[in-house]
Amino acid sequence: METPDNATVPVAAAQEPTGIAAQDWETASAEPQYRAAVVDLLGALAYGELAAFERLAEDAKLAPTLADKAALAKMAAAEFGHFDRLNDRLRAIDAEPTEAMEPFAKALDDFHRQTAPSDWLEGLVKAYVGDSIASDFYREVAARLDTDTRALVLAVLDDTGHGNFAVEKVRAAIEAEPRVGGRLALWARRLMGEALSQAQRVVADRDALSTMLVGGVADGFDLAEVGRMFSRITEAHTKRMAALGLAA
């Protein structure tokens, strides 16, 4: 999962960490609900990385050149490396990785099934838009996590290079055939809606994650801030669309 270099990452207002955000894992995990929320979060991230690996491997089959195929294969390998790190962390905190991922598999699988790209360019836009929205969301949540978990989450959100790769290829395609831009803009708007809907459904189904987002065990969130968070994510999406040469 990634946030492209040429996009602005939405973040909550900078402030000195307090509460759980100022604690390490050993201290913070003494609260059972917080521990459950972190296991959920890491499970969701792990399955997202596994799905990203699978999707990039599939996208490589649509690549028009051998160089493009090799580039996507390298990015897929990086995603699997992130998946491994999350698996290792789940085991280290005495959580079974498969059990932690299972609650999120259907929602992510449904999203990918409902947004299957029809060609190479749609695949690039999907990875760029979908992964970036997810990364923005996790970065927002990371600001409220304990120091150890926050460091891991931010590390696995490191850019694999797919963002800039997608921008380069999509802009070149639009320059060569301008009418492609309209189709891809509609596709990206659909992806944005589907991604946000799936994220909201997943959070609503998991009590610990819901509590983390609206205040409970996580320090600093309230309902108004959740609204502002999604506004920041939407604003960042608009900027990424401009980077692609598409209208949001």
Side-chain angles (χ1 to χ4, degrees), residues 1-2 45-59 72 75-80 82-83 108 112 127 131 160 162:
M1 208 168 290
E2 67 197 80
L45 260 173
Y47 194 77
E49 295 291 348
L50 181 60
F53 161 74
E54 293 176 327
R55 188 193 62 244
L56 284 169
E58 285 296 313
D59 288 350
L72 288 180
M75 294 170 204
E79 299 288 11
F80 197 81
H82 293 164
F83 168 73
L108 279 167
H112 288 304
D131 284 357
T160 62
H162 194 276

Side-chain angles (χ1 to χ4, degrees), residues 52-120:
F53 161 74
E54 293 176 327
R55 188 193 62 244
L56 284 169
E58 285 296 313
D59 288 350
K61 297 177 183 178
L62 301 173
T65 71
L66 186 58
D68 291 336
K69 189 184 295 287
L72 288 180
K74 183 177 180 180
M75 294 170 204
E79 299 288 11
F80 197 81
H82 293 164
F83 168 73
D84 267 345
R85 290 190 65 178
L86 290 160
N87 260 9
D88 289 346
R89 179 59 179 167
L90 283 163
R91 292 192 183 96
I93 62 174
D94 298 322
E96 167 53 46
T98 302
E99 292 178 5
M101 290 187 288
E102 187 63 38
F104 308 99
K106 184 178 186 304
L108 279 167
D109 289 347
D110 285 348
F111 170 74
H112 288 304
R113 184 172 59 253
Q114 293 162 5
T115 58
S118 63
D119 61 20
W120 158 250

Side-chain angles (χ1 to χ4, degrees), residues 71 78 104 119 122 130 136 143 146 153 163 170 173 183 187 208 224 239 244:
F104 308 99
D119 61 20
E122 286 191 1
D136 288 346
D146 66 90
V153 169
V170 170
R183 173 172 67 86
W187 172 242
K239 292 179 180 178
L244 281 174

